[in-house]
Amino acid sequence: GAGVSQSPSNKVTEKGKDVELRCDPISGHTALYWYRQSLGQGLEFLIYFQGNSAPDKSGLPSDRFSAERTGGSVSTLTIQRTQQEDSAVYLCASSLAGGRSYNEQFFGPGTRLTVL
Amino acid sequence: AQSVTQLGSHVSVSEGALVLLRCNYSSSVPPYLFWYVQYPNQGLQLLLKYTTGATLVKGINGFEAEFKKSETSFHLTKPSAHMSDAAEYFCAVRARDDKIIFGKGTRLHILP
């Protein structure tokens, strides 16, 4: 079956522009996560959606970052007024929270964002 | 609060030698523990997981990990390293709200 997909795979933008990154989770997965992976920085948690609950936004680094998940499926991460330090690979993952899935996450291929 | 600590951001071992990647966690709920691997220029994939039952879990590519509650550890091992094991390895734990918390990662280098 189809895995987690992300688009675009690469995005180059100019400082100050807004960008939108898209994630299509595995069908039926109730949990969706966004992470940022910078060189040498490991995986930085950004935001977590679980079903109809209010999202956990505790990892968003500034108010320039926001995310939404429409209809419990597709998610969009928006970065406004991009800065050079936003350059990173943005990873999306989804999982069946709880139950026999034991929260195993399935990751998308990521979007590499470069801010010039 | 839940957290994961991976000791050593970089680990180098000789081909054929034992691989040991350390992970310690804290969790206020019964932990589900995971190791993920990221090969160069690829996405993350699950290597193995501990949920309940047997504390020694086996994963893909000859890796295994042992859950030690008394030590709050979940170290990853492989008896004999192979060049193809060079990758970044992430330990993770389930948090109270089912969120998954990742460690900072350990990059494994294999020396010929």
Side-chain angles (χ1 to χ4, degrees):
Chain A
V4 178
S5 62
Q6 293 185 244
S7 61
S9 55
N10 280 283
K11 177 71 176 179
V12 180
T13 190
E14 295 179 346
K15 178 180 173 180
K17 300 285 189 183
D18 297 351
V19 295
E20 285 190 351
L21 312 181
R22 177 187 169 104
C23 172
D24 282 89
I26 293 173
S27 178
H29 279 192
T30 56
L32 186 147
Y33 309 75
W34 281 99
Y35 298 92
R36 180 168 68 177
Q37 187 174 29
S38 305
L39 190 63
Q41 296 299 312
L43 277 173
E44 178 186 5
F45 165 77
L46 297 178
I47 189 169
Y48 163 54
F49 296 90
Q50 170 56 287
N52 295 320
S53 302
D56 178 347
K57 304 179 181 180
S58 61
L60 295 179
S62 77
D63 59 8
R64 297 187 294 105
F65 287 72
S66 63
E68 61 178 23
R69 188 178 185 191
T70 54
S73 181
V74 172
S75 177
T76 302
L77 177 69
T78 302
I79 309 174
Q80 296 179 311
R81 306 181 301 282
T82 52
Q83 304 295 311
Q84 288 183 330
E85 60 263 30
D86 299 335
S87 296
V89 176
Y90 289 82
L91 294 170
C92 176
S94 70
S95 75
L96 278 170
R100 298 187 64 183
S101 74
Y102 300 113
N103 308 97
E104 176 184 346
Q105 291 186 310
F106 294 83
F107 281 82
T111 293
R112 182 175 297 278
L113 175 65
T114 303
V115 182
L116 302 177
Chain B
Q2 286 77 21
S3 67
V4 176
T5 302
Q6 291 185 241
L7 294 177
S9 58
H10 292 264
V11 170
S12 295
V13 301
S14 298
E15 191 174 17
L18 172 71
V19 175
L20 171 61
L21 304 182
R22 298 178 186 275
C23 173
N24 288 87
Y25 71 92
S26 67
S27 177
S28 58
V29 296
Y32 295 161
L33 295 156
F34 309 82
W35 276 99
Y36 284 82
V37 60
Q38 186 178 32
Y39 296 105
N41 300 313
Q42 295 187 28
L44 276 81
Q45 60 181 284
L46 183 69
L47 195 57
L48 53 78
K49 65 185 177 187
Y50 168 79
T51 54
T52 59
T55 56
L56 181 64
V57 293
K58 297 184 184 299
I60 60 173
N61 301 333
F63 283 92
E64 61 184 36
E66 186 171 10
F67 168 58
K68 292 187 176 180
K69 185 177 180 180
S70 61
E71 298 178 7
T72 60
S73 69
F74 191 56
H75 302 330
L76 182 70
T77 60
K78 181 174 180 177
S80 177
H82 192 274
M83 295 299 289
S84 60
D85 295 328
E88 188 152 22
Y89 293 80
F90 295 92
C91 183
V93 66
R94 178 193 65 153
R96 176 182 294 279
D97 57 355
D98 279 337
K99 186 171 72 178
I100 305 298
I101 307 296
F102 281 85
K104 296 289 187 185
T106 297
R107 187 167 295 278
L108 177 63
H109 305 271
I110 309 298
L111 307 174

